[in-house]
Amino acid sequence: MLKKHPLAVFVAVALSPLNSTAATNPTEPVDEVYVVEGHQARFKANSNETAMRMDVSQLETAGQVAVMDQTLIQEQNATTLGDVLVNDASIGVGGTDRNREIFMLRGFELDTGTGYLRNGQQQWSYYRHPVELMERVEVLKGPAGLLYGKSAPGGLVNMVTKRPTAAFQASISQKVGTNDYQHTVADASGSLNESGTLRGRMVLSKQSEGSSRRYLDGSEPELDRQIAGLMLDYDITPDTQLSLHYDRVIDDSNSDNGANIINGKPQLGSQFIWEAPWSFMDIDVENYGVDIVSQLTPDWKVKSGYNRQDYKRHYHEGFGQRETYDANTQSFKYFAMDRHDNWVLDTAYLDVTGAFQFGNIDHQVLIGANALRNDYVGQRVMKKNQTAVIGGAYPEPDIHYGTATARDPEPTDSIGFYAQDLMTLNPQWQLLAGLRYDREDNETDTYYNVLPKAAVMYHPSPEQTLYVTYSESFEPKNPVDSDTDINDGMALKPVKGKLYEFGYKQSLLNDQALFSAALFQIEQENKVVKEAITGQGSLTSRTTQLGKQTHKGVEVSLAGQVTDSWSVHSSATYLDARIEDPFNPANDGKQPADTPEWGASIWSRYDVDNQTYVNVGARYVGDRYGDMKNTYHKPGYTTVNAGVGHTIKAGEQTDLKLSVNVENLFNESYLAGGVQNKTTLGEERKVVLGASLHF
């Protein structure tokens, strides 16, 4: 039934709590609701930090922003950013090879260096972001070039980290589960002096996990991840606050780059791993920085900050070349690589926000600048044409990156200046106008760009918003660099994204829930395409920017407390995405990889009483393709998750919380993200038991 009617499960999940509430009296909300800034009802966000960079409500934001809060993250036993993002149907999931997570937003891939933010600053994301340090995750949909500079037109993901609290609070949790899963987290926060002007928070975490998949020698890949974070807030004066932060993530794991899919099935079985048993990936990431905010007057505020991210990666891998498999000899070729990478990302910003009245118009303005410097140094050595035998040897060559010459540093510097004005004409009408000037420098080129943004909002009532918005994105491109291209050396324009969106938002049930919907079209222009040519001697191609992508879609979402006992976080999307390539019929008119037309997600919580709650959730991903030519088809699938939690009063100020989570309840087999020879297989059923003490 699920395969024939995959969306039916969402109806069942949504209606089951309604049936329960009809049979029982509504109960008071659970006492242990997490209080998060910007939230008043479970799963509902009144505001966001990403879309406007200033204090405005969701109803005054002319765009779609999905927010996944701490309650949702904890109830779902999320451990990485990917576990959180699947709660938004506009997010598509790509491959997970080499220990990273790839996502599409409205059909456009989020760039590793510019598609992810942490507290509004770019964050290098070539690894699985852990969630232990996150307070919430915000998904800003559509081009965000005005406030954040170069980025893809699908949008951005902002990870908002935990902050110190004035009141003391502490918790320690332990979870165990399938495949030797173990996860321990300690979190303590409170004032560090009697006056409360100095506050601190420390988070420590350790996670380990095995796998149901196996290497050629029968061993399994393992994950070992450790996290430490320290946050300090100090009130220099009643109106000025200084914040310091430091955190480190050490993520050590083995290599598993996915299955090779032949006729819809994993070659050599769903458990077989093509990579060498001796492969490993060690990642070490440090973030440290400072922020300062000062309330200059009741109407004017200045914020500034700096963050340095130092990302080091060492991977030592034997990559099995799936296409070389010989069934007669039970062997295949592989190449070995030992590689070390070091990315250092420095980000800084300065924002001035204020409010004033000019004539009969109220203005809420933002004037600011942000800067980014990206440095990279790497070394690698490879050994090709090696042979592995199933049931036999997978030899490990004696190679080390230290024998290779280090690549010269490749710094990139960018800076942008922006201004934005939210104008309130009267209680019904608001206008938004903004402009950004951006400059980027690398070793060989300098790029300039100017981006506008405009929006009109109409409020039929204080609980409703209708809006129309236009915004742009840009992605600089280096000059053509090919000796065989007739346009070798030609400067390329930035790839431009343009959004046209009409949306509607409404606060429901006495501001306990938010409904949101949007109809949008994103046009990406100046896409680089290559045309094959003849009759030009050694020149065989012509590179131009005549390519284009057009994505048209509809999104709806509902999040919040529907009754005192029932809360939901849900979304659904339809997306018609197409590539235009006038020189390559194999690509022209095709659907981008890992971009389904239909998607939906729901997470539901029902409070049985003040101590016990039940969760049921489901996710539907429609049919899609794993390649740009649309030759590798992946069927749609539906997964169902469930959980139950219970709180025991262990002392006057101590609670013991017990939980059971079951992921992929019906053990659905499916093909997740990735290309045909590196497809991530869907996770099998996973059961996790948890216990935590809260003080």
Side-chain angles (χ1 to χ4, degrees):
M1 292 294 290
L2 287 176
K3 292 184 180 297
K4 291 182 179 179
H5 305 286
L7 287 175
V9 68
F10 294 93
V11 177
V13 170
L15 293 181
S16 57
L18 284 177
N19 296 332
S20 300
T21 53
T24 45
N25 293 326
T27 61
E28 292 299 317
V30 173
D31 294 336
E32 290 75 30
V33 172
Y34 287 85
V35 180
V36 180
E37 182 182 353
H39 295 66
Q40 71 172 36
R42 189 182 294 116
F43 303 158
K44 175 183 177 288
N46 289 336
S47 62
N48 66 85
E49 295 188 0
T50 313
M52 301 283 282
R53 294 185 76 103
M54 57 187 188
D55 300 328
V56 295
S57 69
Q58 287 275 42
L59 292 175
E60 293 180 299
T61 301
Q64 298 293 303
V65 184
V67 180
M68 282 69 79
D69 67 11
Q70 180 71 194
T71 306
L72 188 71
I73 292 171
Q74 291 197 348
E75 286 183 1
Q76 294 184 340
N77 187 44
T79 60
T80 71
L81 179 62
D83 295 334
V84 180
L85 290 180
V86 294
N87 288 285
D88 188 82
S90 63
I91 293 283
V93 180
T96 57
D97 58 301
R98 296 201 168 93
N99 201 22
R100 64 167 175 162
E101 297 175 309
I102 299 172
F103 304 103
M104 275 61 65
L105 179 49
R106 287 185 169 178
F108 294 96
E109 183 174 331
L110 293 172
D111 183 80
T112 301
T114 60
Y116 303 86
L117 310 172
R118 197 170 96 149
N119 300 324
Q121 299 186 72
Q122 280 80 4
Q123 185 81 177
W124 186 255
S125 298
Y126 218 111
Y127 70 111
R128 297 171 297 188
H129 283 283
V131 300
E132 290 88 339
L133 300 173
M134 298 181 195
E135 190 69 66
R136 64 185 182 274
V137 175
E138 302 174 346
V139 180
L140 170 60
K141 305 176 187 183
L146 171 67
L147 301 180
Y148 298 101
K150 64 176 181 178
S151 57
L156 296 169
V157 171
N158 184 35
M159 297 164 279
V160 181
T161 58
K162 295 177 178 178
R163 295 286 302 277
T165 57
F168 172 77
Q169 63 178 46
S171 65
I172 182 166
S173 67
Q174 178 64 51
K175 295 182 179 180
V176 296
T178 309
N179 294 323
D180 299 321
Y181 171 79
Q182 296 189 50
H183 192 192
T184 307
V185 180
D187 185 346
S189 178
S191 297
L192 301 179
N193 61 3
E194 290 187 6
S195 64
T197 57
L198 179 62
R199 301 170 296 280
R201 187 164 191 167
M202 176 174 283
V203 179
L204 301 173
S205 173
K206 180 174 175 55
Q207 178 187 345
S208 61
E209 189 171 4
S211 173
S212 62
R213 287 167 55 80
R214 294 295 182 266
Y215 291 108
L216 179 146
D217 65 356
S219 62
E220 66 179 291
E222 297 179 349
L223 165 71
D224 184 15
R225 183 165 59 196
Q226 302 171 64
I227 301 163
L230 176 65
M231 293 72 78
L232 296 172
D233 284 351
Y234 177 60
D235 297 333
I236 301 174
T237 71
D239 297 319
T240 303
Q241 182 183 97
L242 175 71
S243 299
L244 303 172
H245 65 267
Y246 171 83
D247 57 80
R248 185 178 183 185
V249 177
I250 298 176
D251 191 327
D252 299 336
S253 63
N254 299 116
S255 226
D256 178 3
N257 294 322
N260 190 36
I261 306 301
I262 305 295
N263 297 323
K265 301 292 183 181
Q267 188 180 25
L268 302 182
S270 61
Q271 291 190 329
F272 184 76
I273 300 175
W274 292 85
E275 277 59 65
W278 40 263
S279 300
F280 65 82
M281 174 85 69
D282 293 346
I283 294 174
D284 189 342
V285 187
E286 289 182 288
N287 276 282
Y288 51 91
V290 58
D291 294 89
I292 189 167
V293 55
S294 182
Q295 193 74 43
L296 304 177
T297 72
D299 294 326
W300 289 89
K301 180 167 65 176
V302 60
K303 295 174 62 177
S304 63
Y306 164 80
N307 186 77
R308 165 165 281 202
Q309 183 189 26
D310 191 349
Y311 172 101
K312 298 183 180 71
R313 178 183 69 174
H314 177 205
Y315 76 78
H316 182 75
E317 181 181 74
F319 180 82
Q321 296 171 278
R322 284 74 162 156
E323 69 280 2
T324 66
Y325 173 68
D326 187 331
N328 294 322
T329 62
Q330 290 287 287
S331 65
F332 56 88
K333 297 293 184 181
Y334 70 94
F335 67 80
M337 179 186 294
D338 195 71
R339 174 171 174 169
H340 186 272
D341 303 286
N342 185 195
W343 283 275
V344 177
L345 195 66
D346 292 290
T347 57
Y349 73 95
L350 173 66
D351 285 348
V352 178
T353 57
F356 63 92
Q357 188 176 64
F358 184 76
N360 293 322
I361 299 176
D362 292 326
H363 296 263
Q364 194 169 352
V365 298
L366 163 69
I367 301 171
N370 46 23
L372 182 151
R373 180 180 176 88
N374 190 344
D375 282 293
Y376 170 75
V377 177
Q379 294 170 270
R380 72 174 185 177
V381 61
M382 295 180 62
K383 196 166 186 178
K384 301 180 179 180
N385 202 32
Q386 307 296 295
T387 302
V389 180
I390 297 176
Y394 209 135
E396 179 179 5
D398 184 16
I399 55 176
H400 190 270
Y401 69 84
T403 62
T405 302
R407 292 176 57 175
D408 292 333
E410 301 175 357
T412 300
D413 293 281
S414 61
I415 187 169
F417 302 91
Y418 45 88
Q420 176 179 269
D421 187 3
L422 176 61
M423 295 164 276
T424 302
L425 309 183
N426 54 49
Q428 286 74 45
W429 289 96
Q430 288 182 300
L431 304 178
L432 176 72
L435 192 67
R436 179 188 182 94
Y437 168 79
D438 208 271
R439 169 180 170 145
E440 178 174 307
D441 298 286
N442 59 32
E443 288 188 308
T444 58
D445 299 283
T446 299
Y447 306 95
Y448 302 92
N449 212 66
V450 177
L451 291 97
K453 181 176 182 178
V456 179
M457 286 176 278
Y458 173 64
H459 307 283
S461 73
E463 295 81 25
Q464 296 174 294
T465 300
L466 288 160
Y467 70 85
V468 178
T469 188
Y470 171 83
S471 62
E472 294 185 0
S473 67
F474 75 101
E475 298 168 271
K477 292 295 178 183
N478 291 327
V480 179
D481 184 13
S482 173
D483 293 338
T484 61
D485 196 285
I486 197 170
N487 287 330
D488 184 34
M490 181 181 73
L492 296 177
K493 301 176 183 177
V495 176
K496 278 284 189 76
K498 298 179 180 180
L499 167 74
Y500 307 89
E501 180 170 312
F502 170 72
Y504 174 75
K505 299 181 182 183
Q506 182 169 356
S507 177
L508 302 171
L509 306 171
N510 294 321
D511 203 29
Q512 295 298 293
L514 179 68
F515 172 78
S516 189
L519 176 68
F520 65 88
Q521 177 170 310
I522 301 176
E523 299 173 355
Q524 192 179 43
E525 302 172 341
N526 299 335
K527 293 277 290 183
V528 178
V529 293
K530 187 171 289 190
E531 173 189 9
I533 61 174
T534 58
Q536 297 291 331
S538 61
L539 301 176
T540 59
S541 64
R542 176 185 288 110
T543 296
T544 62
Q545 292 187 276
L546 298 178
K548 186 177 179 180
Q549 266 182 240
T550 303
H551 295 201
K552 304 175 183 178
V554 180
E555 295 171 344
V556 294
S557 67
L558 173 66
Q561 291 187 218
V562 180
T563 70
D564 287 343
S565 302
W566 178 38
S567 306
V568 296
H569 187 286
S570 60
S571 61
T573 185
Y574 168 76
L575 182 65
D576 178 18
R578 290 293 179 264
I579 298 169
E580 297 180 29
D581 186 340
F583 305 121
N584 190 345
N587 294 340
D588 191 41
K590 299 300 171 58
Q591 189 173 319
D594 282 321
T595 302
E597 286 190 344
W598 293 96
S601 177
I602 186 171
W603 181 254
S604 177
R605 167 171 169 154
Y606 178 71
D607 295 316
V608 179
D609 53 36
N610 283 351
Q611 289 77 43
T612 306
Y613 65 86
V614 177
N615 294 124
V616 181
R619 180 171 179 251
Y620 169 68
V621 177
D623 286 25
R624 64 231 183 276
Y625 295 96
D627 64 330
M628 189 182 296
K629 293 181 173 58
N630 291 184
T631 59
Y632 172 38
H633 175 258
K634 299 179 187 178
Y637 64 89
T638 301
T639 57
V640 177
N641 301 329
V644 60
H646 182 72
T647 299
I648 300 172
K649 201 71 176 176
E652 186 176 343
Q653 296 184 349
T654 305
D655 291 334
L656 172 63
K657 299 184 179 183
L658 306 174
S659 63
V660 179
N661 286 80
V662 184
E663 301 169 22
N664 195 2
L665 181 64
F666 300 117
N667 207 26
E668 175 84 356
S669 297
Y670 61 94
L671 304 178
V675 296
Q676 185 166 0
N677 69 342
K678 293 193 298 181
T679 296
T680 300
L681 300 181
E683 293 284 345
E684 297 179 353
R685 182 190 296 116
K686 180 179 179 180
V687 180
V688 176
L689 309 178
S692 59
L693 277 172
H694 295 254
F695 307 95

